Amino acid sequence: MHRTKVRVVEDALDANNTIAAANRSDFERSGVTVVNLMSAPGAGKTTLLERSLEGLAEAGVRVGVLEGDVAGSFDADRISVLHLPVVQLNTDNGFGGECHLDANMVRSALPAVPLDDIDLLLVENVGNLVCPAEFRIGEDAKMMVCSVTEGEDKPLKYPLMFRSCELVVINKIDLLEHLDFDVERLEANILQVNPNATVMRVSAKTGEGVDAFRDWLTSVSARVGATA
Amino acid sequence: MHRTKVRVVEDALDANNTIAAANRSDFERSGVTVVNLMSAPGAGKTTLLERSLEGLAEAGVRVGVLEGDVAGSFDADRISVLHLPVVQLNTDNGFGGECHLDANMVRSALPAVPLDDIDLLLVENVGNLVCPAEFRIGEDAKMMVCSVTEGEDKPLKYPLMFRSCELVVINKIDLLEHLDFDVERLEANILQVNPNATVMRVSAKTGEGVDAFRDWLTSVSARVGATA
């Protein structure tokens, strides 16, 4: 049973990569850079977007958001007040309640995304530290948010996720004074599994460090066409 | 592609249920009650076990722990200082880095679990709010931990997980005074998706509410043989 299962997973990943390449072609044709945004549930992805996306319009970067969730449109509703194009993609509608976005799910949502009117598409994945890292969606960059309430050991327990991301945002640093949490140890664990990672300390709640994240988004959006 | 995928998932769940029933037979033969403990990454499952399991020996309940993680033995190392039988089960060893435990993985670990010497087996699942709820492992009860740092909307975004659990422990209540968090709203959302849930407020860090959780574990351990 195990061998069969592995083969099915490999076939699924092959098909996924084919569709991811098709997504990439569409993104490149429209000049859109795509960021795959991942985290555990409740790490603060949506709050980080709420804090950081408004300033991007002034920097000349037109942003769209694709919100992935198992159920509901809570995050899309929150982002919609920013007057950005936002599309909700639920994995329980015909996708069996999947714990991650894959290339085919993203492809099914693309007709609703105004690719020609944006420069940067942020895809907020399902909250999960395992499977989202395994499925390409046609993105230019993978990034993640981890929160100081989650424990310093997470990079060692979920190495693939931390290894696959070029940016790791450490969120909720406003809570550090109330926690027994060693943020240097978390950073060392991140760099142990991914020595090339860019690591930022942020409080999406207070706004501390959000400018650096906004600068990163701006630099990523200038990357379009440079990668394949 | 989608229809094939759904069929594969259904076949896998059928096979899983068959193996889960075999696990259950073994647990019943040894008089062991099994609790499937789930949460998002970093919600505090291991800390809750550290705080609650020592008192159980005095209450006459002999406990064993099966620790499920993608990689590493950090949680098993923490639990081992309690001098309980603890077994680490990693999903990246031959299981493809799965984001959940299934019945077959648990079965593969059973030879290492001294079933005849314990009354209660706590299985700490991989940190994930989606897939662990879909795979029976042969347990008597499913429970979960959610943390007040994760947001009040989680029951509505991950309804299957909250619906499948008879007990929801709300952890980290010591942090409430530092958060913009409405714990009554979280409780209302839990009961909206699962009106039968037992809900407890706990701080595994300070110990507040841990006695109630210990009492729940004691009552569950008395259940053996009563359910099928």
Side-chain angles (χ1 to χ4, degrees), chain A residues 70 97-100 126-128, chain B residues 128-134 158 160-161:
Chain A
V70 177
E98 289 282 357
C99 61
H100 59 272
V126 179
N128 181 345
Chain B
N128 180 344
L129 286 186
V130 188
C131 303
E134 297 172 18
Y158 302 91
L160 179 65
M161 173 62 71

Side-chain angles (χ1 to χ4, degrees), chain A residues 14-152:
Chain A
D14 278 351
N16 186 71
N17 288 340
T18 302
I19 302 170
N23 290 349
R24 247 201 105 66
S25 294
D26 289 358
F27 297 144
E28 286 180 359
R29 197 176 305 120
S30 301
V32 175
T33 309
V34 178
V35 174
N36 187 352
L37 171 55
M38 302 178 283
S39 80
K45 294 187 297 300
T46 312
T47 306
L48 182 65
L49 294 184
E50 286 176 323
R51 288 296 295 221
S52 57
L53 295 189
E54 283 198 294
L56 280 176
E58 292 151 31
V61 182
R62 299 166 302 165
V63 181
V65 178
L66 180 57
E67 286 289 346
D69 276 301
V70 177
S73 63
F74 304 97
D75 294 344
D77 294 345
R78 288 170 61 187
I79 296 296
S80 66
V81 305
L82 301 178
H83 304 294
L84 302 168
V86 56
V87 175
Q88 179 74 45
L89 173 56
N90 283 345
T91 70
D92 65 349
N93 293 336
F95 294 113
E98 289 282 357
C99 61
H100 59 272
L101 296 180
D102 66 21
N104 195 40
M105 295 179 208
V106 169
R107 191 149 193 82
S108 74
L110 287 188
V113 179
L115 290 179
D116 290 336
D117 301 332
I118 60 175
D119 307 300
L120 179 64
L121 178 63
L122 288 159
V123 182
E124 188 177 331
N125 217 309
V126 179
N128 181 345
L129 285 187
V130 189
C131 302
E134 298 172 18
F135 290 84
R136 289 186 205 165
I137 56 172
E139 68 275 63
D140 294 83
K142 287 183 161 86
M143 65 161 288
M144 68 176 293
V145 178
C146 66
S147 148
V148 296
T149 62
E150 291 169 28
E152 301 95 342

